[in-house]
Amino acid sequence: MKMIGSDYVLEAHNIFHTTEVDGGGCFNGAGNSALVLKGVNLTVHSGEVMAILGSKGSGKRALLDVIARRADGATRGQVLLNGSPLSKALFQQRCGYVTQSCTFVPGLTVAQTLHYTPTILGGYLKSSKVRQVLADLALSQVAHKRVEYLNISEARRLAIGIQLVRDPVMLLLDEPTQGLDPLSAYLLISILSNTAKKTGCGILLSLEKPRSDVFPFLDRALFLCLGGVVYSGGTRAMLEYFHAIGFPCPQLENPLMYYLCLSTVDRRSRDRFLESSQQIEALVERFSRETPISDAPLNNMGTGKVPLAYGKPGELKVWSMLYLKLLASTFSCGVVGMKTLFLRMLLLPLAMSLMWGFYTNVGDTPSGFFTKNGLILNILGLSYGCGILTTISLFPIWRKKFSQDTPEGLYSGTTLLVAYNAVSIPFSIASAALASCVVYPLLLDSKFNSATIFAYLLVALWSSFVLAEQLSIAFLLVVKVPFNAAIAVTYVLVISIALASGTVRSFKGLQPWLQDNTKGTHTRYASSLLHSIAFQSRKPNCTSTASVVCPKVADFMHERLGLPDPDETIDVAASCAFAVGLAAFNMLLYLFPMPRCVRQKFKD
């Protein structure tokens, strides 16, 4: 692994941070603001491991987010790297951040995940680099294992490896040992310590319940309680400091856990709460007095700009890597790959094949006309439904990955959607073509073999599938639970079918303003195409009598759609325009920054 040539120093000076807590949501106004960091100072040098210790709610994650320049709220103070202000762009290029919720794309192997993801950030990633990181993180034995089968320890190390292949000068980790058994936690901390010493990378990690066996691997420690600093400095000096102020660590005690308990508010009773709060306030005040805040950075060697690790990659390179990752996930040899191929290729044709059990041998009788109308209703509903099911099954993992990668500046939402659609649309065209072959004989007699009519049917099915897919993608931008997004999209499309398809009720039964509004829906034009295919070449097979009135095709079409002779050219153009237009709208939609309530939803 590449050694970091310069001696880097990360400093935080007098950090105060206010954020919103217990927010009222997106529509209920702002929540209450709270000061979560109060005058925090820290210093980390290259090759050192520093632990941020504190109970839940002490401000550990807030401090990491402030350093990483991804915290919501107001921040005062300075964060410096080699004496230069640590901007968001500089952090993205020279540092790394491993959060608790790291998502991997299913279907990829460990080696593929390491190879594809970092390359997006820039630079050519050699295979030897990947092999070295796998060896350093004890992942060589699972290099060809698919990420969905990793245990929690392996997954945590893979998340760290994704950052380490970029040669960061500083690496931040949020609770890396959470949920790990003692042996796995010891292995992880020892690997991080060895990595810091080997590469010169400075490591800053948060811990809530540190074990005694990790103490030798820590060079520095920072104890937080309710945003205040109880101690910040070297671990060896920590023992001397607390001994000097009257809190020596008993023999055979874990010093990290002992002083963490000392820095934690006791909430078991009101009296204990008040007593422990007063003691912690005194400890914070004493440490603040004995370590005065310096206005100048501790390290003056880097007053200029910190060199970037890589050149910024072009959009084409970023898109190509996302595209290759999507293809690798789709064609992976495993359950995930088989599921993806089934949903993209076979779901729609299989759904259409169900129609053969209900709509065979439908004649041109008056009742047959209405039966064909029901067939059109089912074709539209199944096309929409397959589009929804495919999207909510495949896209959420990419949406979640996008929300995690956005703070690192890896790619934009538009780049993701261009890559996703580049894979999805060819599959949807092929799937719609197969489905058209299945349903074509049900709509038309076998004697009518027309490539033009088949193309109309293909457009109707494909545009319906893609419209439902893109509408689901739009809802998944703000709705975290895929099932809830599916319900919302289904509700919209059911209303559209009921009012605009001419299958549930005729246009004659609609108010004039509703008839005009149906022109703004995809369903009207796709349904019109299907009606043209099913009825334009048919004649009623009956004789009018006093009790039986044979419907005329023109009259039937006028009653159901409000048009005696639909224009197929307009219907084809409008159907495609709705599908493609919604895809373009999503690309713009994913460019806009989301409200804090939405970001927080996908962050947790």
Side-chain angles (χ1 to χ4, degrees), residues 507-508 515 524 556-565:
F507 269 64
K508 283 186 176 181
Q515 294 181 14
R524 176 184 175 94
F556 184 81
M557 297 282 282
H558 187 270
E559 178 184 356
R560 305 310 301 182
L561 296 175
L563 297 170
D565 187 18

Side-chain angles (χ1 to χ4, degrees), residues 340 343 353 357 369 491 535:
T340 303
L343 290 172
S353 67
F369 271 41
Y491 181 75
F535 295 108

Side-chain angles (χ1 to χ4, degrees), residues 19-42:
T19 189
E20 183 180 311
V21 294
D22 299 326
C26 293
F27 304 104
N28 297 328
N32 298 321
S33 294
L35 186 62
V36 295
L37 295 175
K38 307 168 186 176
V40 177
N41 296 273
L42 64 84

Side-chain angles (χ1 to χ4, degrees), residues 426-441:
F427 275 108
S428 63
I429 293 174
S431 179
L434 290 175
S436 298
C437 294
V438 172
V439 80
Y440 185 89

Side-chain angles (χ1 to χ4, degrees), residues 115-178:
H115 178 76
Y116 285 134
T117 305
T119 309
I120 292 175
L121 199 63
Y124 175 69
L125 187 61
K126 296 181 179 180
S127 298
S128 58
K129 178 73 171 181
V130 173
R131 290 195 298 270
Q132 183 63 54
V133 172
L134 289 172
D136 290 342
L137 295 176
L139 290 174
S140 298
Q141 298 299 319
V142 295
H144 301 292
K145 190 176 183 180
R146 304 203 179 277
V147 294
E148 58 267 28
Y149 301 120
L150 297 178
N151 60 42
I152 185 172
S153 176
E154 294 165 343
R156 200 67 55 83
R157 280 178 277 147
L158 175 57
I160 295 170
I162 289 174
Q163 299 297 329
L164 287 180
V165 291
R166 297 167 42 206
D167 292 323
V169 298
M170 292 291 166
L171 180 63
L172 280 58
L173 301 101
D174 183 18
E175 298 280 2
T177 60
Q178 187 179 59

